[in-house]
């Protein structure tokens, strides 16, 4: 018997199974023919697909369940939180990019906030962004931002900003495309800040920061997915038969209502505090996060103009 067959290829420790108990490496060769690689790919894909459905159903309808299961050690049956968020973000923003209009004459405000909803934004945030974009639209038509609005930019950057602002006035689509291409990075950057807010508000719970980050990842994955659902329903209502429009619009409204309701229930069921404390901390979390979110939006709009 070939002894090397039962030794770890990395540290040469004698194996008791398929994995080395010393370094953790699997006894498996990744150098094989194409047919073997293809077979393994579809096998892994099928297994991952099963985990997806086990993950999505509780993610949509059982607030806080996945986060509790993960921190309790039940991880194998579900898609890991970070992978779930990254996969969701990629799909959501690809769909959003496909649904953007081909030509834009002015800075259009999304009808019923449908487009903003696809960006993982709640109804309240979408209203704020709509107002912000309206203000920018009016400012562009008049004279643009004043120097006081751009105090954090150097004189050279201000000149560049005003030059590009003139070009964007003629074709706002340039800045809008750049804005939504940068939005995923912005959302990903806000995740640890959201988790930090939860850590500060629930500091007496003695939970690790990572436990709050798990909640943030699951919450943002849910927001993105239901925002895409809302956008899809709005698009479906625009092309459906007249008799089908009312129930679709009702379902779209229910989707928007479920997003903040879900987030509230998630905090309640995950942290297991009284309704009074949960409502207060949910209000604080939402308020502080909205301030961070809108500040990031303003910065992203300026970067979109500078980089377009």
């Amino acid at each position: 018997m070939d002894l090397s067959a039962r030794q770890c290829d990395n540290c040469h420790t004698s194996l008791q199974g398929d994995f080395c108990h010393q370094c953790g490496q699997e006894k498996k060769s990744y150098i094989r023919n194409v047919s073997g690689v293809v077979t393994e790919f579809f096998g892994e894909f099928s297994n991952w697909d099963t985990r997806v459905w086990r993950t999505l159903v509780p993610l949509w309808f059982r607030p806080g369940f996945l986060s509790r299961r993960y921190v309790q050690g039940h991880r194998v049956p579900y898609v890991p939180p970070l992978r779930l968020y990254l996969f969701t973000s990629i799909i959501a923003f690809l769909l959003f990019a496909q649904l953007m209009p081909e030509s834009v004459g002015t800075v259009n405000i999304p009808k019923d906030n449908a487009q903003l909803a696809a960006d993982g934004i709640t109804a309240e945030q979408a209203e704020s962004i709509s107002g912000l974009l309206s203000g920018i639209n009016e400012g562009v038509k008049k004279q643009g931002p004043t120097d006081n609005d751009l105090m954090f930019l150097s004189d050279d950057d201000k000149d560049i900003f005003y030059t590009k602002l003139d070009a964007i006035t003629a074709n706002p689509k340039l800045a809008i495309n750049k804005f939504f291409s940068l939005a995923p990075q912005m959302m990903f950057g806000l995740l640890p800040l959201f988790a930090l807010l939860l850590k500060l508000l629930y500091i007496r719970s003695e939970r690790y920061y990572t436990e709050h980050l798990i909640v943030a990842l699951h919450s943002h994955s849910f927001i993105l997915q239901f925002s895409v659902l809302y956008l899809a329903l709005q698009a479906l209502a625009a092309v459906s038969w007249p008799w089908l429009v009312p129930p679709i619009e009702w379902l779209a409204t229910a989707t928007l209502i479920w997003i903040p309701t879900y987030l509230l229930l998630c905090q309640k069921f995950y942290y297991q505090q009284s309704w009074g404390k949960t409502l207060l901390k949910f209000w604080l979390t939402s308020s502080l996060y909205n301030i961070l979110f809108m500040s990031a939006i303003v910065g992203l709009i300026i970067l979109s103009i500078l980089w377009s």
Side-chain angles (χ1 to χ4, degrees):
M1 179 179 179
D2 186 3
L3 294 179
S4 63
R6 298 309 305 160
Q7 288 184 347
C8 174
D9 296 327
N10 179 52
C11 64
H12 306 295
T13 301
S14 297
L15 296 177
Q16 302 297 322
D18 294 331
F19 292 86
C20 176
H21 63 275
Q22 188 68 30
C23 68
Q25 179 168 296
E26 185 180 8
K27 181 64 176 179
K28 182 178 183 180
S29 175
Y30 289 89
I31 309 301
R32 67 195 77 179
N33 58 37
V34 174
S35 62
V37 174
V38 172
T39 300
E40 180 181 5
F41 170 79
F42 282 104
E44 290 292 332
F45 179 81
S46 175
N47 179 56
W48 195 79
D49 184 61
T50 302
R51 294 171 68 190
V52 165
W53 287 113
R54 282 205 206 112
T55 303
L56 291 182
V57 174
L59 177 70
W60 294 339
F61 304 113
R62 301 187 66 180
F65 173 80
L66 285 178
S67 300
R68 291 201 315 272
R69 295 283 288 177
Y70 190 87
V71 299
Q72 290 169 358
H74 302 278
R75 299 166 189 168
V76 173
Y78 311 107
V79 178
L82 180 58
R83 187 183 302 176
L84 175 66
Y85 174 80
L86 292 176
F87 181 78
T88 298
S89 180
I90 291 171
I91 298 300
F93 286 105
L94 281 176
L95 291 174
F96 181 79
Q98 292 298 319
L99 292 171
M100 284 293 292
E102 292 297 326
S103 59
V104 182
T106 59
V107 181
N108 293 319
I109 308 306
K111 182 179 180 182
D112 296 330
N113 299 321
Q115 293 177 352
L116 293 177
D119 199 28
I121 300 167
T122 63
E124 181 181 352
Q125 293 169 340
E127 291 290 344
S128 301
I129 294 173
S130 293
L132 181 62
L133 291 177
S134 297
I136 291 174
N137 217 12
E138 293 301 318
V140 169
K141 290 177 181 177
K142 294 178 181 178
Q143 62 179 16
T146 64
D147 286 341
N148 291 332
D149 298 327
L150 305 173
M151 292 178 61
F152 56 90
L153 295 180
S154 65
D155 291 338
D156 292 339
D157 287 337
K158 287 180 183 178
D159 292 337
I160 296 173
F161 180 85
Y162 286 125
T163 300
K164 294 201 171 186
L165 189 60
D166 291 336
I168 288 169
T169 303
N171 185 13
K173 177 73 171 180
L174 296 174
I176 292 174
N177 286 342
K178 178 59 68 173
F179 175 88
F180 286 110
S181 69
L182 296 174
Q185 293 91 311
M186 181 203 74
M187 292 292 294
F188 189 74
L190 287 174
L191 273 170
L193 295 178
F194 181 75
L196 180 60
L197 287 177
L198 293 175
K199 172 66 175 177
L200 294 175
L201 289 172
Y202 291 95
I203 193 168
R204 297 181 63 183
S205 67
E206 299 183 351
R207 294 178 181 267
Y208 291 110
Y209 172 79
T210 308
E211 296 180 65
H212 303 288
L213 187 59
I214 297 303
V215 178
L217 288 167
H218 282 142
S219 298
H220 283 68
S221 297
F222 166 80
I223 293 172
L224 278 173
Q225 291 180 21
F226 265 65
S227 298
V228 170
L229 174 61
Y230 175 79
L231 179 63
L233 290 170
Q234 290 292 321
L236 182 61
V239 298
S240 294
W241 295 286
W243 61 269
L244 197 56
V245 172
I248 293 177
E249 291 182 342
W250 180 88
L251 187 57
T253 302
T255 299
L256 280 184
I257 294 174
W258 178 234
I259 292 176
T261 303
Y262 177 98
L263 297 176
L264 172 62
L265 294 176
C266 182
Q267 282 191 226
K268 168 62 179 174
F269 296 147
Y270 182 79
Y271 293 105
Q272 298 289 313
Q273 291 191 339
S274 66
W275 276 109
K277 289 183 178 180
T278 300
L279 288 170
L280 175 61
K281 292 183 178 182
F282 178 74
W283 176 78
L284 288 172
T285 304
S286 302
S287 301
L288 294 173
Y289 185 71
N290 280 333
I291 293 173
L292 292 173
F293 184 85
M294 294 311 302
S295 300
I297 288 290
V298 172
L300 197 59
I301 289 174
I302 293 175
L303 288 178
S304 300
I305 295 174
L306 289 174
W307 293 353
S308 59

